[in-house]
Amino acid sequence: MANAPVQRMSQLMAKTLRDDPADAEVLSHKLLVRAGYVRRTAAGIWSWLPLGKKVLTNIERIVREEMDAIGAQEVTLPALLPREPYEATGRWDEYGAELFRLQDRKGGDYLLGPTHEEIFTLLVKDQCSSYKDLPVILYQIQNKFRDEARPRAGILRGREFLMKDSYSFDTEDEGLAQSYALHRQAYQRVFERLGLDYRIVAATAGAMGGSKSEEFLAPAEAGEDTFADCPNCDFAANTEAISYALEPVDGSAVAAAEEIPTPDTPTIETLAASLGVPASATLKNLLVKVDGEIVAVGVPGDREVDMGKVEEHFAPATVEMVTETDFAARADLVRGYVGPQGLEKVTYIADPRVAPGTAWITGANKDGMHAKNVVAGRDFEVEEYVDVVVVQEGDPCPTCGTGLKLDRAIEIGHIFQLGRKYADALKLDVLGQHGKPVRVTMGSYGIGVSRAVAALAEQTADEKGLCWPAEVAPADVHVVAAGKALQTELALEVSDKLSAAGLRVLVDDRAGVSPGVKFTDAELMGVPKILVAGRRSAEGVVELKDRRTGDREELTVDEALARLTA
């Protein structure tokens, strides 16, 4: 392979900025724009400039190498997809407003692919007819589309993004488990090569469906996911995936339920203050509508309802809060004084903390009245227990009971054991060993390639700018000519020698730009090694700086070449 030509900054499309973009909220957004890696085209839509494209391509290369290493085969499928396969699996509706839908001139319905489970299933159905054709793992690296309600954080949450999605197809569950394990190991190698700090945590399947699911999370303040980590055991999970066992208690000794006057106490705070009890002694009952039907959600008064968990539980149904109009139409529902006892035509679900035998102070379904000694399982029935509270720091670990620690993180990968959800919907069978049709079982596995760029920027940047790991950096060495003709001549000469030795070189040969600006830009752009042809150029001496550590030393040109090519 020919050596890459030296990239001269005098010819590079990379305009750096001194100030943060006005709309930038997170570090990666600020620095990737300021360093000339990306530019905003529209809300949630980004253009990749030459330096950014190099980083993106390097990440693609690493992902591709590790996927190929497990025997996966790369394909490219269309991004513009027909409605019918997604309707067959139910995801045309399940995706809701996040799905980009469009029509052709003949009125045919299409979508821009958010993921490709359906299309890969149909491809295998067309190409594989016998158990001898399986197992097979297929993948692609392709732009995906989701109509985010509020695109934010630069490339972290966009409406168009680059993703590696792969799919495994096996005839037996044991084969699926093996394909899943292969991907899990490959992802670990990918993220280690990228230089990312990451955690593997239990996760929910969401609209993807299936059974087992794990996320790969990169801890970062800019992350939109919250995960819980146990300091005492190996438990780790997205907070949306944490569940607790139902533990009934003996409530036989609790006195009979009794209504008590509590005027002007429509909130948990006012009720607890009025009665002189902790909020944890009260039962909060949140009313929502699920496809128009009223559902009450019971949780301890000191906890908040996680609406994401509620929506996940009832998906694909639409969940919304009840309104004043809903209360007006139901005289039996008294705002601020709802209790589970005696509710009619209302489905009641509760968090496992509202276990059978537990006693509560809760609404009496009368204005200005509450009831005490209301016991779950005696005075009211819970139709279904669902983990719906917002997980808090210090909540007990479901495995060992130690208080959990919470951290923010960026989701960079997700793996699913889908099972036969898509194969059932699209009737994917192959002829088995005994001559009878066998339904295929599937796995789905994603890596956010463009998102990994932002995650790396968030984790590795410092106060001066970006600071790329060597394997993903846009160049190996950033050569800076401090300004004078002799210095520029030496910088170009050294750059050519480094390139001939196989290194990727970016050289700042811009005329009329001060040394201070060049040094600032070199720090901002984040190439691992910075080589400066400065005041001692006439002696053949240059300065080599490590971008991450800040260590610097003066070397002869030959010494610098030997050090960088070692």
Side-chain angles (χ1 to χ4, degrees), residues 490 494 531-534 536 540-544 553-557 560:
L490 179 62
V494 172
L531 190 67
V532 180
R536 297 187 64 186
V541 174
V542 293
E543 180 184 84
L544 180 62
E553 57 183 327
E554 289 189 335
L555 303 167
T556 66
V557 169

Side-chain angles (χ1 to χ4, degrees), residues 12 29 41 62 78 81 94 103-104 136 139 159 190 229 248 293 319 381 394 410 438 455 457 492 497 515 517 519:
L12 178 67
H29 183 178
T41 301
I62 292 170
L81 305 171
E94 284 178 21
Q103 289 188 330
D104 65 10
V136 66
Y139 78 97
R159 295 194 289 173
V190 166
D229 206 3
E293 298 296 322
V319 178
E381 296 296 331
I410 299 165
V438 174
L492 293 174
K497 290 180 178 179
V517 169
F519 297 149

Side-chain angles (χ1 to χ4, degrees), residues 29 32-40 46-49 52 155:
H29 183 178
L32 289 169
V33 172
R34 284 185 53 209
Y37 282 70
V38 299
R39 284 293 184 270
R40 182 182 183 274
W46 292 86
S47 297
W48 292 83
L49 304 186
I155 60 173

Side-chain angles (χ1 to χ4, degrees), residues 477-528:
V477 187
H478 188 152
V479 180
V480 177
K484 297 179 181 178
L486 176 63
Q487 295 163 340
T488 300
E489 181 181 335
L490 179 62
L492 293 174
E493 177 187 335
V494 172
S495 296
D496 287 339
K497 290 180 178 179
L498 290 169
S499 177
L503 273 66
R504 299 165 300 141
V505 183
L506 175 66
V507 58
D508 194 343
D509 62 333
R510 292 175 295 176
V513 178
S514 71
V517 169
K518 289 184 177 183
F519 297 149
T520 299
D521 282 350
E523 301 276 12
L524 178 62
M525 289 177 171
V527 173

